[in-house]
Amino acid sequence: MTTANRAACVIGWPVEHSRSPLIHNYWLKHYGIAGEYRRELVPREEFASFVTSLAARGYVGGNVTVPHKEAALALSEPDDRARAVGAVNTLWLDNGALCSTNTDVEGFLDNLDARAPGWDRNTNAAVVLGAGGAARAVIYGLLSRNVERLVVVNRTLARAQALQQEFGKRVQAARWESLDAALGDAALLVNTTTLGMQGQPGLTVDVAQLPEHALVADLVYAPVRTALLAAAQARHLRTADGLGMLLHQAVRGFALWFGTTPAVTPELRALLEADLGVSPRKAAG
Ligand code: NAP
């Protein structure tokens, strides 16, 4: 198959909310590639038959979103990242084999590298809020960058403890009540919970407890400038937002399907900001 007739898709239920078509169709147009990226609304009971017949449906691969990320792991040949995260968000066909990965890991790390180059040179301790799927990608990524100590703070302590068991001694589970104490020596704070997202309860963190060299990252991207990031910026701390991660996690899929490694540019970011309702004045990285 030539790149002229390649197609990829995002598979989910629901799928309307996905920003992936906006990102990939922008890149297709920008690089002059005559491919297509579509939405595929697929219910849980039809996912296995859909994903195992991607080639017959004219696809070279695709993204997977709720509720199919765990099912995709079992139905494909996952790499180490997808296995460690326990979920797949990117699929591609390689000589007929359905391969998979989880690009949230590199999306998170590449965004930190872009926003705060060299951040990992002095990040001995980090605090991760949340213990769900996104937290697993973040923890795996931070351990791969030699962060020595990770405190995972979660409403349901047992989920944080399960991550401690799985990822080893460098990860410590903690209750929400001990958050302030953990922030004192954290060079990095990452919110991986849904708190602060549109329609969800707010997130209250006393960023004054963080050291002045700290970097604050939020995975929430709707709104783009969360209350956590606004509070961190008001204290002149460095920040990395969820939109940056969303854009960076899309790079690998596009390269695998269409053969060109795309760039995350201010123009693409502005397109997504407009879609997410950010006024140009408020745009921040
Ligand atoms: P998930 O598996 O459902 O985990 C949700 C987490 O939020 C859990 O730790 C949960 O705590 C916590 N939480 C939910 N409601 C809470 C509340 N009222 N009080 C305290 N904690 C609460 O979700 P996920 O897949 O990890 O996604 C989490 C967030 O990351 C979402 O906002 C998602 O959009 C974002 N995300 C962004 C990107 C990106 O590219 N920017 C990529 C992936 C995910 P419990 O364990 O106690 O329930």
Side-chain angles (χ1 to χ4, degrees), residues 104 130-135 154-156 159 176 192-195 197 200-201 219-221 242-243 245-246 249:
D104 281 343
N154 196 46
R155 174 180 62 176
T156 310
R159 284 184 93 189
W176 209 272
T192 77
T193 73
T194 49
L195 295 174
M197 209 172 143
Q200 297 293 321
L219 268 55
V220 169
Y221 58 84
L243 176 56
M245 173 173 168
L246 183 74
Q249 68 75 34

Side-chain angles (χ1 to χ4, degrees), residues 36-55:
E36 271 189 76
Y37 187 98
R38 305 182 201 117
R39 285 190 168 86
E40 290 281 5
L41 182 65
V42 177
R44 215 184 263 274
E45 60 277 14
E46 286 169 24
F47 180 70
S49 72
F50 188 95
V51 88
T52 50
S53 60
L54 273 185

Side-chain angles (χ1 to χ4, degrees), residues 78-268:
D79 67 2
D80 288 350
R81 286 181 173 189
R83 262 197 214 100
V85 176
V88 154
N89 71 355
T90 302
L91 295 164
W92 72 99
L93 289 163
D94 185 6
N95 282 323
L98 185 61
C99 303
S100 63
T101 188
N102 190 307
T103 62
D104 281 343
V105 178
E106 69 217 61
F108 172 68
L109 294 175
D110 290 351
N111 188 39
L112 293 194
D113 289 340
R115 295 293 308 157
W119 65 271
D120 53 345
R121 280 201 291 273
N122 57 0
T123 300
N124 296 333
V127 171
V128 175
L129 303 176
R136 299 175 72 91
V138 165
I139 293 167
Y140 181 84
L142 292 178
L143 293 177
S144 77
R145 289 296 190 89
N146 301 320
V147 174
E148 282 165 29
R149 198 161 52 83
L150 276 175
V151 181
V152 178
V153 176
N154 196 46
R155 174 180 62 176
T156 310
L157 183 65
R159 284 184 93 189
Q161 287 170 331
L163 294 180
Q164 177 178 331
Q165 283 282 319
E166 194 175 326
F167 285 99
K169 279 200 263 183
R170 283 156 71 200
V171 174
Q172 296 164 15
R175 291 178 195 282
W176 209 272
E177 298 76 59
S178 46
L179 174 59
D180 280 359
L183 293 178
D185 66 348
L188 174 67
L189 168 67
V190 188
N191 175 40
T192 77
T193 73
T194 49
L195 295 174
M197 209 172 143
Q198 271 159 15
Q200 297 293 321
L203 171 62
T204 309
V205 175
D206 183 6
V207 293
Q209 305 296 327
L210 285 162
E212 14 181 79
H213 63 275
L215 167 62
V216 177
D218 202 333
L219 268 55
V220 169
Y221 58 84
V224 176
R225 191 163 185 260
T226 60
L228 173 66
L229 295 179
Q233 285 162 4
R235 241 206 92 192
H236 305 290
L237 301 178
R238 294 169 304 165
T239 58
D241 64 29
L243 176 56
M245 173 173 168
L246 183 74
L247 293 170
H248 282 284
Q249 68 75 34
V251 168
R252 181 130 188 263
F254 191 89
L256 286 163
W257 308 320
F258 301 114
T260 295
T261 300
V264 174
T265 58
E267 188 186 59
L268 172 59

